[in-house]
């Protein structure tokens, strides 16, 4: 009776966002203090680079020169150069000195992670520590939030994480801009300084 099937190419039915899910300093501290050591570098890489889990699991030592991490994001093909902050550099250099493989993130046995194996281990550690409502992927948004709180502009954050400007703004709007008291206090201090001139 009809010429076209309405179910063909129906399009995407759901669009989800985890922009409001951010790791707290307490979550980070708890994971670093109590989770298995082979998960610590993954946390540090995610927080200091803002990269996706899949890209971090594939990250090779050849992508790190002691000062920066250079990679092409698998999802978008975007090339990013991430300067490495001191805490991450110390962690990377300590791991590199162990010379366990060509990939940066390895299992307890010294083999590269599979995506599923990493997810299961990460989830198990979070459950054991009582960290709920946030995932490894949420560390990407957490990195954006922390960079904004540190005073980075949206273009600077986007160049580091490989997000679009619109995505960075959406993440900041969902969490950081409306909830961070420190940012609000900094804004008032800057405003007061300008008004005195």
């Amino acid at each position: 009776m009809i010429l076209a099937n309405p179910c063909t190419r129906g399009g995407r039915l759901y669009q989800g966002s985890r922009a409001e899910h951010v790791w707290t300093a307490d979550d980070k501290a708890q994971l670093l203090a109590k989770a298995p050591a082979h998960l610590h570098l993954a946390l540090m890489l995610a927080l200091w680079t803002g990269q996706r889990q899949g890209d971090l699991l594939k990250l090779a030592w050849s992508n790190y020169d002691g000062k920066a991490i250079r990679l092409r994001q698998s999802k978008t093909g975007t090339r990013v150069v991430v300067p490495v902050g001191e805490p991450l550099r110390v962690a990377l250099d300590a791991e590199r000195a162990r010379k366990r493989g060509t990939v940066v993130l390895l299992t307890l046995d010294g083999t590269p992670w599979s995506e599923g194996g990493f997810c299961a281990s990460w989830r198990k550690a979070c459950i054991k520590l009582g960290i709920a409502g946030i995932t490894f992927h949420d560390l990407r948004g957490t990195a954006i939030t922390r960079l904004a709180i540190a005073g980075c502009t949206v273009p600077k954050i986007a160049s580091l994480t490989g997000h679009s400007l619109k995505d960075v703004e959406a993440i900041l709007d969902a969490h950081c801009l409306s909830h961070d008291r420190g940012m609000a206090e900094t804004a008032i201090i800057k405003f007061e300084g300008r008004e005195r001139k």
Side-chain angles (χ1 to χ4, degrees), residues 45-154:
L45 276 165
L47 282 174
W48 283 88
T49 68
Q51 300 305 307
R52 290 178 185 86
Q53 175 183 304
D55 292 328
L56 294 178
L57 293 179
K58 294 176 194 165
L59 186 67
W61 285 112
S62 58
N63 297 108
Y64 171 61
D65 64 9
K67 295 180 182 176
I69 294 172
R70 290 171 170 70
L71 60 90
R72 178 188 291 258
Q73 294 179 329
S74 57
K75 182 177 177 182
T76 62
T78 303
R79 289 185 183 273
V80 291
V81 177
V82 182
V84 176
E86 184 69 15
L88 179 57
R89 187 189 61 74
V90 169
L92 283 168
D93 291 348
E95 184 64 25
R96 183 164 46 182
R98 297 172 69 193
K99 299 276 185 190
R100 297 190 317 146
T102 58
V103 210
V104 176
L105 295 175
L106 300 171
T107 65
L108 192 56
D109 298 329
T111 58
W113 286 102
S114 68
E115 193 91 19
F118 180 80
C119 286
S121 292
W122 188 267
R123 187 172 36 253
K124 192 184 302 181
C126 287
I127 289 169
K128 187 175 181 180
L129 296 172
I131 298 173
I134 49 176
T135 66
F136 186 87
H137 184 72
D138 296 327
L139 289 166
R140 192 158 151 79
T142 302
I144 289 171
T145 301
R146 291 175 55 173
L147 288 163
I149 291 169
C152 296
T153 63
V154 168

Side-chain angles (χ1 to χ4, degrees), residues 166-185:
K166 183 175 112 181
D167 287 346
V168 171
E169 288 171 348
I171 291 166
L172 294 176
D173 189 45
H175 175 73
C176 180
L177 298 180
S178 60
H179 300 106
D180 188 74
R181 182 179 174 155
M183 287 186 76
E185 289 171 353

Side-chain angles (χ1 to χ4, degrees), residues 14 23 33 43 66 78 133 149 151 187 190:
Y14 171 77
W23 283 67
L43 174 73
T78 303
I149 291 169
K190 285 184 176 184

